[in-house]
Amino acid sequence: MPSDPQRAADLAALAWLIELGADEAIGDVPVDRTALPERAPWAGALAVAATAPPASPALAPPAPAPAAPVVVPPAGAEGEAAARLAEGAGDLAALAAAMEAFDCPLRAGARRFVFADGTPGAPLMVVGEAPGREEDIEGRPFVGAAGRLLDRMLGAIGRDRAEAAPERAVYIANVLPWRPPGNRTPTPEEVARWRPFLLRHIALAAPRVMLVLGNTPAQALLGQGGITRLRGRWTEVEGRPALPSFHPSYLLRRPEAKREAWADLLEVRARLGG
Ligand code: URA
């Protein structure tokens, strides 16, 4: 029997937690969940929209993916054509026209070209992966379940794609403008093909801060995946501060990641001066 009563109580509490199945640490630092000041305002949406069964509190976060660069430069003539077309676009309308005309096998299987939404020139630019089914039908990025969650997340930091005022506005685009068949993850070749256009898109939209959602835009813009490791750490993309974070689709599947996503959003808001 331990002589220290506090120690005995702690050991009993630990035994009780282990009995409940909470036998694995899920973070690097302890969190007093009884004293958390702020709850992500969009957390409810996650619970409603989640399709996966609720995560066990004992579930460890996914292991970070290896940090190897995965962007394959587009080969020869194709890479040169993409770079020339992108560089030649003097404004966003010209860039959209050049992208829509650019030869890509994905075009044959997609319905609509999806360029961007929100306010060009907004201080915040969000970069996602590629259109899904709803986006392919509507021709606008992030209008499906993940998009509705994204809207709530952005709303929680005072941003709205329908608002033009700089203190409220946001601009939203994807790495790919065409839907990959069956919503599969874009291949490294596809990411590389569209990268010159994405870089030009960023230069023309000229955001002050960027939010990079998920592995695909991280691969395109940071040259590496492994969003679990990258998220929450500021980096620079084309001379602009960029914060990688979880993609809303991932948050729909893994609601336990919402706390980190919320921390990232607060970082973005602070960086924007809000
Ligand atoms: N996911 C994305 O990354 N982009 C969209 O436009 C929709 C879903």
Side-chain angles (χ1 to χ4, degrees), residues 128-132 135 141-142 146 174 247 249:
E129 179 174 294
E135 291 79 18
F142 282 105
N174 283 317
H247 191 284
S249 299

Side-chain angles (χ1 to χ4, degrees), residues 40-143:
W42 33 271
L46 292 169
V48 172
T51 49
S56 150
L59 195 63
V70 289
V71 174
V72 182
E78 190 199 37
E80 281 166 28
R84 194 169 6 89
L85 283 168
E87 286 306 312
D91 57 28
L92 288 169
L95 182 69
M99 287 170 66
E100 193 165 8
F102 185 65
D103 199 21
C104 173
L106 291 177
R107 196 163 56 159
R111 275 185 247 203
R112 302 273 301 262
F113 172 70
V114 179
F115 182 63
D117 201 10
T119 304
L124 175 62
M125 179 170 179
V126 175
V127 182
E129 179 174 294
R133 190 176 163 277
E134 286 88 348
E135 291 79 18
D136 186 46
I137 292 169
E138 257 193 59
R140 286 199 303 138
F142 282 105
V143 293

Side-chain angles (χ1 to χ4, degrees), residues 4 9 14 29 38 52 56 114 121 138 140 172 175 184 188 202 217 225 233 236 258 262:
D4 176 351
L14 187 61
V29 287
E38 284 189 89
S56 150
V114 179
E138 257 193 59
R140 286 199 303 138
I172 302 172
V175 178
R184 66 159 169 72
I202 292 165
R233 294 193 215 161
E236 265 201 12
K258 64 183 183 281
W262 176 232

Side-chain angles (χ1 to χ4, degrees), residues 121-197:
L124 175 62
M125 179 170 179
V126 175
V127 182
E129 179 174 294
R133 190 176 163 277
E134 286 88 348
E135 291 79 18
D136 186 46
I137 292 169
E138 257 193 59
R140 286 199 303 138
F142 282 105
V143 293
R148 287 190 288 280
L149 175 56
L150 177 63
D151 284 343
R152 295 186 62 135
M153 292 163 66
L154 292 171
I157 56 163
R159 299 277 150 185
D160 184 337
R161 64 170 106 187
E163 297 267 357
E167 61 280 6
R168 299 268 300 148
V170 58
Y171 187 64
I172 302 172
N174 283 317
V175 178
L176 267 59
W178 302 108
R179 179 194 186 198
N183 290 357
R184 66 159 169 72
T185 302
T187 64
E189 289 75 17
E190 287 162 350
V191 171
R193 177 178 299 132
W194 288 101
R195 185 170 179 272
F197 294 103

